[in-house]
Amino acid sequence: MTPAVSEPPPSPPSPWRLCGFGAAPAVRCRGVRVGDHTACLAHLDGADRAAHLAALSPGTDVDHRGTPFTAELLGRLLAALHDPATGGPRVGAARFDGAAFCGDADFNGAVFSGAARFDGAVFSGGAWFNEAAFSGAARFDGAAFSDAAGFDEASFSGPAWFHGAAFSGNAWFDGAAFCGDARFDGAAFCGDADFNGAVFSGAARFDGTLFSGNARFDAARFDAAPHLGPLVCGERVVLDSAVFQQPVTLEIAARRVSCARTRWASTATLHLRHAELDLRDAVLEYPVLVAARPTPFALSGPTGLPGTGPSAPEPGVRLASVGGVDAAHLALHDVDLSGCRFAGAVHLDQMRVDGWCAFATTPAGWNRRFPWRWSRRNTLVEEHHWRVRTAGPPGRAAARGWTPPPPDAPALRPAAVAALYRQLRKSLEDGKNEPDAADFYYGECEMRRHDPDRPRGERALLTAYWLLSGYGLRATRALAWLAAAMAVTVAVMVLWGLPAEDPKPTTTGRQVAAGQEVVLTTGAPAPVNPTGPLTGRVTAGRLEKALRVVVNSVVFRSSGQNLTTTGTYAEMVSRLAEPVLLGLAVLAVRSRVKR
């Protein structure tokens, strides 16, 4: 017995008057019927189609929802709507919801007098709306652009909605004017997206927008956008020369964010993830906060960078440059500053550095010029560049762990680097970050010591200060010198400073017979220098006496011990030098625990 063949379930009822083309519901065209005809524009016979197109005039409302268009059919429709006054097609209310455009869809220069709806439309070829004018609402929600899409110089007088739209190729909105709200929530751009020179007079909504390539907003203007993002970009978000007129919050996850020459005319907050931020020549008229977002943004779609997987960069923010910025209004929170170039910025002493902000550090390992390890401290990348440039053959300092300068980095003199250290030290001190401020004082002194324009006497004094205690910041170095000085003083005392024996007081007198007068004089003989072999002078008793003399000298006291002439001068030198070394060690400890 032959089994019964189940029929496909009936299609849900549609509010559209669907085209009757196709025998079965499964293959029936979804296009809306034209007028009183039983078919859509694509399936009208030649005479009916010609008659319908001939009846159209510029400004006529059109309804071609679900209709499949070829490039030739669309060209005939727009030609029928051609307006000689504008030189392009002029359409009233336009309904192209769910329409399918095979080949290029050329709406360049079109004027839509009423609402224009392309919700769910599919553009298999290029979609071109360059210099188009939308007087009413423009809706492209859920539209699929399989190839390039161009909206250059397009004008949107009403709201422009691209919610959930998918752009498989590059998309251009250069010079577009969005007079109402521009909504790209949940849109996906698989290629590059350019909004260069675009003007957003209303809200610019990019909530959950995904850019697989670059997102460029060069010279764009945001007049009243309270938020931009959260958006995810696989490559660069470029906001160079953009202008934000009102308070704004930017939430961006991208590999790089460029804000060169960006102007903030009001307060702004930049919450970033994974990004390397460039703020060169940015104009900050009001406080601007740059902070790393520790947790992913609350997005309905993908939250990670596309195409990265396990190799995705860390979620923190790395600041690349603030050159040319007036940093008085800049605040940084949890930002990696290890590669940041500060040269050219002004008012760095007023910049706020809060939270976890990491600077570059000195290389690990042994110093090849001196027999000790590099002291670990925070540095500026400008010092790294200077050391690489002055280390002799190229690559020598880089091999030791110093960061080589990029080709466009200026060659700074030590005095300029010292000025950067001085300003940033003031910023950290104002933020009560005394330990890191001490590192920047060390860097400032290093640059002053290496500055050939400084007087030789000053450089010699700084060199001695560095050798003895690391500019009063290295307690271990000062204590090592103190221990060495004490050891030398003890050795001098034992070998030459202590007399052979402690002198005993003697009494001498004379008697005058006539008057029976007796005169007695008591005095101590001069200490006798020790004699004999040096090894014979090293005894426990002499060591104990020498140690007592040295310990009293460290605390700037006299031991009262009888000394030879050599010992007296040695004690004088010890009482001057060793308390200074002890004080430098105490100062170094204080600089690390100061609150």
Side-chain angles (χ1 to χ4, degrees):
M1 183 176 181
T2 304
V5 179
S6 60
E7 296 185 359
S11 301
S14 171
W16 302 352
R17 298 174 62 251
L18 299 181
C19 174
F21 181 82
V27 296
R28 181 176 299 168
C29 174
R30 304 293 295 176
V32 171
R33 301 176 184 179
V34 174
D36 295 331
H37 299 284
T38 60
C40 67
L41 182 63
H43 296 112
L44 285 178
D45 59 36
D48 290 340
R49 181 185 301 157
H52 174 74
L53 295 176
L56 299 179
S57 62
T60 303
D61 296 344
V62 295
D63 184 357
H64 297 291
R65 289 170 288 176
T67 302
F69 281 93
T70 62
E72 186 271 337
L73 177 60
L74 179 61
R76 292 181 60 185
L77 172 63
L78 297 180
L81 298 169
H82 180 78
D83 185 358
T86 62
R90 181 164 62 87
V91 190
R95 297 295 302 271
F96 290 94
D97 314 55
F101 297 90
C102 300
D104 288 350
D106 188 353
F107 287 91
N108 289 332
V111 176
F112 296 88
S113 303
R117 301 195 59 166
F118 291 83
D119 298 341
V122 177
F123 297 87
S124 299
W128 306 110
F129 291 84
N130 300 320
E131 300 182 1
F134 298 86
S135 300
R139 301 197 57 160
F140 290 83
D141 294 347
F145 299 87
S146 301
D147 204 337
F151 290 83
D152 290 350
E153 305 293 334
S155 173
F156 299 88
S157 300
W161 291 1
F162 290 82
H163 179 77
F167 296 84
S168 299
N170 295 334
W172 293 276
F173 290 83
D174 296 341
F178 298 90
C179 298
D181 292 349
R183 302 196 58 167
F184 290 84
D185 315 56
F189 294 85
C190 296
D192 292 343
D194 289 356
F195 292 84
N196 301 326
V199 177
F200 298 87
S201 300
R205 302 292 301 273
F206 288 84
D207 304 2
T209 307
L210 175 63
F211 297 90
S212 297
N214 298 310
R216 302 191 64 95
F217 294 86
D218 302 68
R221 196 178 80 216
F222 300 85
D223 293 337
H227 292 87
L228 184 62
L231 60 86
V232 176
C233 182
E235 296 297 335
R236 293 195 307 159
V237 175
V238 181
L239 292 163
D240 295 351
S241 300
V243 178
F244 293 89
Q245 297 285 359
Q246 298 296 326
V248 64
T249 299
L250 281 69
E251 297 180 306
I252 301 173
R255 295 181 184 275
R256 289 177 294 277
V257 177
S258 179
C259 294
R261 301 175 302 282
T262 303
R263 177 170 172 253
W264 281 280
S266 188
T267 58
T269 301
L270 281 67
H271 288 297
L272 307 178
R273 285 178 58 80
H274 305 286
E276 179 180 271
L277 175 64
D278 188 354
L279 284 176
R280 285 176 299 169
D281 301 315
V283 179
L284 285 59
E285 299 182 17
Y286 288 85
V288 173
L289 169 65
V290 178
R293 177 68 177 259
T295 58
F297 298 120
L299 304 178
S300 57
T303 59
L305 299 185
T308 54
S311 62
E314 294 295 326
V317 178
R318 302 168 304 282
L319 187 58
S321 175
V322 292
V325 176
D326 185 344
H329 293 299
L330 181 60
L332 306 175
H333 186 80
D334 291 351
V335 177
D336 184 355
L337 301 174
S338 59
C340 182
R341 290 154 58 180
F342 293 94
V346 297
H347 293 150
L348 287 172
D349 57 323
Q350 301 179 40
M351 183 177 67
R352 293 292 304 273
V353 180
D354 297 324
W356 177 87
C357 288
F359 291 90
T361 59
T362 52
W366 288 90
N367 188 333
R368 297 186 181 182
R369 296 177 60 189
F370 301 99
W372 56 66
R373 297 176 65 88
W374 285 104
S375 57
R376 196 71 169 174
R377 60 182 172 90
N378 290 328
T379 63
L380 298 182
V381 74
E382 281 84 357
E383 181 181 346
H384 284 244
H385 298 169
W386 175 83
R387 290 190 181 274
V388 171
R389 287 191 172 106
T390 58
R396 178 184 296 177
R400 297 175 184 172
W402 298 101
T403 303
D408 61 338
L412 300 180
R413 299 179 65 85
V417 182
L420 295 176
Y421 271 121
R422 185 161 51 251
Q423 293 185 66
L424 286 169
R425 173 172 61 88
K426 177 66 165 53
S427 172
L428 295 176
E429 288 174 347
D430 291 344
K432 305 303 180 184
N433 187 355
E434 299 290 348
D436 288 340
D439 281 351
F440 281 11
Y441 174 71
Y442 192 108
E444 178 188 352
C445 291
E446 276 286 274
M447 293 297 100
R448 290 169 55 194
R449 182 169 68 90
H450 290 286
D451 186 0
D453 297 330
R454 294 272 177 181
R456 290 187 177 180
E458 179 182 347
R459 296 177 63 190
L461 181 62
L462 285 170
T463 300
Y465 194 22
W466 166 68
L467 283 173
L468 293 177
S469 64
Y471 310 112
L473 297 172
R474 297 295 180 262
T476 304
R477 193 178 305 179
L479 291 174
W481 280 109
L482 177 60
M486 294 175 65
V488 170
T489 306
V490 168
V492 171
M493 290 295 177
V494 169
L495 298 178
W496 300 285
L498 296 174
E501 295 181 357
D502 289 336
K504 298 178 181 180
T506 59
T507 302
T508 60
R510 62 188 177 87
Q511 180 178 3
V512 182
Q516 299 295 318
E517 179 181 357
V518 179
V519 178
L520 300 177
T521 302
T522 302
V528 179
N529 291 327
T531 58
L534 297 179
T535 55
R537 306 177 193 180
V538 181
T539 64
R542 293 176 64 85
L543 281 173
E544 190 274 332
K545 291 179 181 180
L547 186 60
R548 187 165 58 244
V549 172
V550 173
V551 171
N552 279 280
S553 297
V554 171
V555 294
F556 212 72
R557 294 177 56 190
S558 175
S559 64
Q561 176 69 42
N562 291 312
L563 301 174
T564 65
T565 301
T566 301
T568 300
Y569 282 106
E571 184 186 36
M572 292 171 59
V573 174
S574 175
R575 290 181 63 187
L576 288 175
E578 293 171 2
V580 173
L581 293 173
L582 179 61
L584 291 175
V586 173
L587 178 63
V589 173
R590 174 60 176 162
S591 68
R592 291 300 176 183
V593 299
K594 185 177 180 181
R595 297 177 58 186

